């Protein structure tokens, strides 16, 4: 069987540190993971990368490999080599015959890896990222594409997501080791609020300027909310800082379709300026009535 240079597989030197091995493995595992790389030979490369990491990241295996790995397993000229002699050409769990010849044994029931060198399955590292969205985007569920470590991921953003809220996307972290499951992706949302509106939970608060004449006589105003236009009927003799609540014009409740908060509008009556002489006379007449 053919000798496998595990250092060459990971693209590192024999003097590589544990950190060097870990970094090289993570980089190559992301590149050749079958879920991310659709090339026909990606799976076999990924298995070989896992195998190299299994050996070199384990101090005992690495020591044995450095000492005896260069010998042909079927060479019986040395008693030390005999303990690593090949028992056949079978493969199990994605490991090569070369790996089995050094770290495995063949009982009557077939191939198995020795307990001493049983590779440990490790979950991949979790990824964390932040995503900025506008407050308008939280009014309905929508899809976006994220670029995470060169991979494009399509996700759905639920309506009503809040600023600082974090959601978990299963399996979109770093690849696992030795058959372990992938890590997860954690996304924290940073919501850019509209300066005209203040959001507290699922409710919105804003102010609206109205002129003195509309406040006194009443009228109708078309107002732009964050999810459409509404017509506001201003009652006669509306006072400054009067408030009105519009039901279901706030933000949708998170994962509670059909439920939304309210929009509260505070009227700010503006006193007219730069009055003409005639306007001042009219106000004087009103003040005497």
């Amino acid at each position: 069987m053919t000798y496998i240079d595990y250092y060459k597989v990971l693209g590192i030197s024999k003097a590589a540190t544990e950190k060097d091995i870990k970094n090289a493995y993570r980089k190559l595992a992301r590149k050749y993971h079958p879920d991310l790389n659709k090339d026909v030979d990606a799976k076999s490369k990924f298995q070989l990368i896992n195998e190299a990491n299994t050996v070199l990241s384990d101090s005992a295996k690495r020591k044995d490999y450095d000492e005896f790995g260069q010998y042909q397993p079927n060479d019986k000229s040395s008693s030390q080599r005999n303990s690593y002699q090949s028992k056949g050409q079978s493969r199990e769990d994605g490991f090569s015959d070369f790996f089995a010849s050094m770290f495995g044994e063949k009982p009557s029931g077939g191939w198995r890896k020795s307990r001493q060198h049983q590779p440990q399955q490790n979950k991949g590292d979790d990824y964390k990222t932040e995503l900025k969205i506008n407050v308008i985007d939280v009014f309905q569920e929508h899809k976006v594409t994220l670029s995470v470590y060169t991979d494009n991921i399509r996700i759905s953003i639920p309506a009503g997501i809040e600023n600082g809220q974090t959601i978990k996307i299963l399996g979109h972290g770093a690849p696992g080791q030795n058959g372990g499951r992938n890590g997860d992706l954690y996304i924290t949302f940073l919501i850019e609020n509209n300066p005209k509106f203040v959001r507290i939970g699922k409710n919105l608060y804003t102010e609206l300027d109205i002129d003195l004449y509309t406040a006194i006589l009443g009228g109708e105003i078309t107002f732009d909310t964050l999810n459409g236009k509404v017509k506001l009927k201003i009652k006669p003799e509306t006072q400054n800082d009067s408030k009105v609540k519009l039901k279901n014009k706030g933000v949708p409740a998170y994962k509670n379709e059909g439920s939304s908060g309210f929009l509260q509008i505070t009227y700010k009556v503006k006193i007219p300026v730069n009055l003409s002489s005639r306007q001042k006379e009219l106000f004087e007449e009103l003040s005497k009535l």
Side-chain angles (χ1 to χ4, degrees), residues 33-62:
H33 196 286
D35 291 342
L36 307 175
N37 190 322
K38 302 306 179 183
D39 292 346
V40 293
D41 59 346
K43 182 177 180 179
S44 60
K45 288 182 179 179
F46 181 73
Q47 289 176 338
L48 189 56
I49 291 164
N50 262 335
E51 182 176 314
N53 180 67
T54 298
V55 174
L56 299 184
S57 63
D58 184 303
S59 59
K61 287 189 180 71
R62 184 178 182 182

Side-chain angles (χ1 to χ4, degrees), residues 2-257:
T2 305
Y3 167 75
I4 299 176
D5 188 339
Y6 290 136
Y7 292 99
K8 187 175 181 180
V9 171
L10 295 183
I12 56 179
S13 70
K14 288 189 176 182
T17 64
E18 291 183 7
K19 184 178 180 181
D20 295 333
I21 295 169
K22 186 176 182 180
N23 290 340
Y25 169 74
R26 286 181 176 177
K27 180 179 179 181
L28 292 172
R30 282 198 297 267
K31 182 177 180 181
Y32 290 107
H33 196 286
D35 291 342
L36 307 175
N37 190 322
K38 302 306 179 183
D39 292 346
V40 293
D41 59 346
K43 182 177 180 179
S44 60
K45 288 182 179 179
F46 181 73
Q47 289 176 338
L48 189 56
I49 291 164
N50 262 335
E51 182 176 314
N53 180 67
T54 298
V55 174
L56 299 184
S57 63
D58 184 303
S59 59
K61 287 189 180 71
R62 184 178 182 182
K63 181 180 178 181
D64 288 346
Y65 171 74
D66 289 342
E67 187 173 355
F68 303 112
Q70 69 268 32
Y71 299 120
Q72 290 295 327
N74 58 1
D75 185 349
K76 299 182 180 180
S77 60
S78 167
S79 60
Q80 287 179 318
R81 300 174 206 174
N82 287 344
S83 63
Y84 297 101
Q85 185 173 354
S86 171
K87 306 297 182 182
Q89 301 296 321
S90 299
R91 297 174 67 91
E92 179 189 1
D93 297 334
F95 289 96
S96 68
D97 292 333
F98 175 77
F99 177 93
S101 72
M102 292 198 63
F103 305 108
E105 52 189 21
K106 187 181 181 182
S108 59
W111 277 104
R112 68 177 177 85
K113 296 182 287 296
S114 62
R115 292 185 180 180
Q116 181 181 1
H117 299 297
Q118 180 75 25
Q120 181 178 0
Q121 292 185 339
N122 295 318
K123 173 179 174 289
D125 290 341
D126 294 327
Y127 290 157
K128 295 181 180 180
T129 189
E130 294 180 341
L131 178 61
K132 290 183 178 180
I133 61 174
N134 193 285
V135 67
I136 296 176
D137 296 328
V138 307
F139 278 85
Q140 59 183 1
E141 181 176 325
H142 63 288
K143 296 182 181 295
V144 297
T145 300
L146 298 179
S147 180
V148 180
Y149 289 92
T150 72
D151 298 320
N152 291 327
I153 302 173
R154 187 78 168 168
I155 67 167
S156 293
I157 300 179
I161 197 84
E162 294 200 30
N163 183 53
Q165 186 171 346
T166 299
I167 64 174
K168 179 170 70 174
I169 309 297
L170 294 174
H172 282 286
Q177 298 182 29
N178 306 321
R181 75 176 185 87
N182 290 0
D184 303 315
L185 171 63
Y186 290 84
I187 305 174
T188 299
F189 290 88
L190 303 179
I191 299 176
E192 299 175 338
N193 286 317
N194 186 302
K196 293 183 178 180
F197 296 84
V198 174
R199 178 186 178 184
I200 301 178
K202 62 180 182 178
N203 300 320
L204 293 172
Y205 299 82
T206 189
E207 295 180 348
L208 176 62
D209 293 340
I210 59 175
D211 60 64
L212 177 63
Y213 312 108
T214 302
I216 294 173
L217 301 175
E220 191 172 85
I221 297 176
T222 299
F223 179 68
D224 289 322
T225 70
L226 288 176
N227 61 342
K229 297 179 181 291
V230 295
K231 287 186 176 181
L232 299 174
K233 291 184 178 181
I234 311 298
K235 296 180 179 180
E237 301 178 3
T238 292
Q239 301 297 307
N240 185 52
D241 286 335
S242 296
K243 295 176 175 58
V244 62
K245 287 183 179 179
L246 305 182
K247 293 182 179 180
N248 298 320
K249 286 298 181 180
V251 177
Y254 180 69
K255 291 190 176 180
N256 188 4
E257 187 175 354

